[in-house]
């Protein structure tokens, strides 16, 4: 069975991409509105505290659920666009979305709103979710290794994943510091590395990673990624033993010195492989 043509991939991926963009865009819109209308302090208050607010109650849960739905739609877009995905990546997409959903349905526990069981579920759901997103970046970067047409995409994913991991570590450190309010030195440090700021920076990088994956799905579906030409006398992504190009057996076309046929994605220009003779 031949590879899907770019226009077929685009037609399949477009609904998933639109759904993903709308859902993630709505999530960012609702969380922004919540920050504008709530009296919470975005520098020192975590996002979880916005579940209990004077204005905008329910917006935090709606935002998290929308982000989870948009992430699942993004996975559908990547699959429809034929972006190489490992089973690990798919599982991590599921755990990221499930963690967000659980965090939305089970709010954190606070002294003024005690709910110990819900608070435990919320806390561990957040840990699973944000670690899963870092894992998505790592697994996709590993899956795209050795694919020349995805070199730029792999570099982008690698940079965003590294920044996301650094942001997550910074947020974790600032969160731990808030657990020691009686210690003056630690309390002063927690004012410098404010937990609200570090959490929001980490979330922004996470959303940028999702947007980067969205861009990869869009470009792959339209054929901007995945096109490889065959240069004179050379093959693209040729495996040494099986002589495969882009995962397809080379059934016909020009032959190399070992007698194996060469293939390209779109077409092969039949130029002689011999070095032109000098006049």
């Amino acid at each position: 069975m031949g590879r899907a043509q770019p226009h077929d991939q685009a037609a399949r991926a477009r609904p998933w991409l639109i759904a993903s963009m709308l859902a993630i865009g709505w999530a960012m819109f609702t969380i922004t509105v919540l920050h504008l209308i709530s009296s919470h302090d975005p520098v020192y208050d975590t996002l979880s505290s916005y579940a209990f607010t004077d204005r905008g109650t329910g917006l935090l849960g709606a935002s998290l659920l929308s982000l989870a739905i948009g992430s699942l739609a993004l996975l559908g877009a990547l699959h429809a666009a034929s972006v190489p995905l490992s089973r690990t990546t798919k599982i991590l997409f599921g755990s990221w979305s499930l963690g967000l959903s659980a965090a939305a349905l089970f709010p954190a526990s606070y002294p003024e709103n005690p709910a110990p069981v819900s608070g435990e579920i919320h806390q561990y759901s957040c840990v699973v979710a944000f670690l899963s997103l870092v894992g998505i970046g790592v697994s996709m970067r590993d899956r795209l290794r050795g694919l020349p047409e995805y070199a730029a995409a792999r570099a982008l994913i690698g940079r965003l994943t590294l920044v996301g991991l650094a942001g997550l570590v910074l947020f974790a450190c600032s969160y731990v510091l808030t657990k020691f309010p009686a210690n003056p030195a630690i309390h002063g440090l927690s004012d410098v590395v404010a937990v609200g700021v570090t959490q929001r920076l980490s979330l922004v990088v996470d959303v940028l990673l999702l947007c980067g994956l969205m861009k990869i799905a869009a470009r792959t579906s339209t054929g901007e990624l995945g096109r490889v030409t065959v240069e004179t006398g050379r093959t693209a992504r040729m495996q040494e033993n099986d002589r495969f190009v882009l995962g397809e057996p080379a059934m016909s076309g020009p032959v190399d010195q070992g007698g194996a046929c060469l293939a390209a994605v779109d077409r092969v220009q039949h130029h002689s492989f011999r070095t032109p003779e000098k006049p």
Side-chain angles (χ1 to χ4, degrees), residues 210-230:
L210 294 175
C211 292
L213 296 178
M214 200 181 301
K215 180 179 180 181
I216 292 170
R219 294 188 62 191
T220 303
S221 68
T222 57
E224 293 182 53
L225 292 178
R227 290 180 179 175
V228 181
T229 58
V230 175

Side-chain angles (χ1 to χ4, degrees), residues 11-73:
R12 290 200 304 267
R14 189 177 297 111
W16 293 104
L17 282 170
I18 293 174
S20 180
M21 286 187 289
L22 290 176
I24 294 177
W26 180 255
M28 294 301 99
F29 173 75
T30 53
I31 200 69
T32 301
V33 170
L34 179 58
H35 278 76
L36 293 176
I37 65 177
S38 176
S39 60
H40 281 281
D41 187 347
V43 176
Y44 297 106
D45 292 336
T46 62
L47 287 172
S48 300
S49 65
Y50 283 74
F52 309 101
T53 180
D54 50 346
R55 292 183 296 274
T57 302
L59 283 182
L60 177 64
S63 178
L64 293 176
L65 288 174
S66 185
L67 186 59
I69 294 171
S71 299
L72 290 177

Side-chain angles (χ1 to χ4, degrees), residues 68-133:
I69 294 171
S71 299
L72 290 177
L74 174 57
L75 175 61
L78 291 167
H79 179 73
S82 298
V83 177
L85 298 172
S86 66
R87 181 179 299 178
T88 300
T89 302
K90 296 175 183 178
I91 292 174
L92 289 171
F93 260 104
S95 60
W96 155 253
S97 299
L98 182 61
L100 289 176
S101 301
L105 297 175
F106 297 92
S109 179
Y110 293 94
E112 58 275 15
N113 294 282
V117 176
S118 178
E120 289 291 321
I121 296 175
H122 180 90
Q123 184 173 6
Y124 288 110
S125 296
C126 290
V127 171
V128 169
F130 289 105
L131 286 178
S132 295
L133 191 58

Side-chain angles (χ1 to χ4, degrees), residues 235-266:
T235 62
R237 291 180 53 203
M238 176 70 72
Q239 296 183 11
E240 182 177 356
N241 296 327
D242 297 330
R243 298 298 195 270
F244 272 74
V245 176
L246 293 174
E248 297 182 2
M251 301 302 296
S252 61
V255 296
D256 61 3
Q257 294 179 357
C261 295
L262 309 180
V265 177
D266 297 325

Side-chain angles (χ1 to χ4, degrees), residues 156-243:
L156 174 63
I157 293 173
R159 288 193 296 269
L160 290 174
T161 302
L162 184 61
V163 176
L165 179 59
L168 185 60
V169 171
L170 184 62
F171 166 62
C173 292
S174 63
Y175 181 77
V176 171
L177 292 176
T178 62
K179 299 302 180 180
F180 302 94
N183 189 307
I186 295 180
H187 183 72
L189 187 59
S190 66
D191 288 338
V192 176
V193 188
V195 65
V197 174
T198 58
Q199 186 184 35
R200 284 155 181 79
L201 288 176
S202 180
L203 180 61
V204 167
V205 177
D206 290 340
V207 173
L208 288 177
L209 176 58
L210 294 175
C211 292
L213 296 178
M214 200 181 301
K215 180 179 180 181
I216 292 170
R219 294 188 62 191
T220 303
S221 68
T222 57
E224 293 182 53
L225 292 178
R227 290 180 179 175
V228 181
T229 58
V230 175
E231 300 177 359
T232 302
R234 298 181 62 186
T235 62
R237 291 180 53 203
M238 176 70 72
Q239 296 183 11
E240 182 177 356
N241 296 327
D242 297 330
R243 298 298 195 270

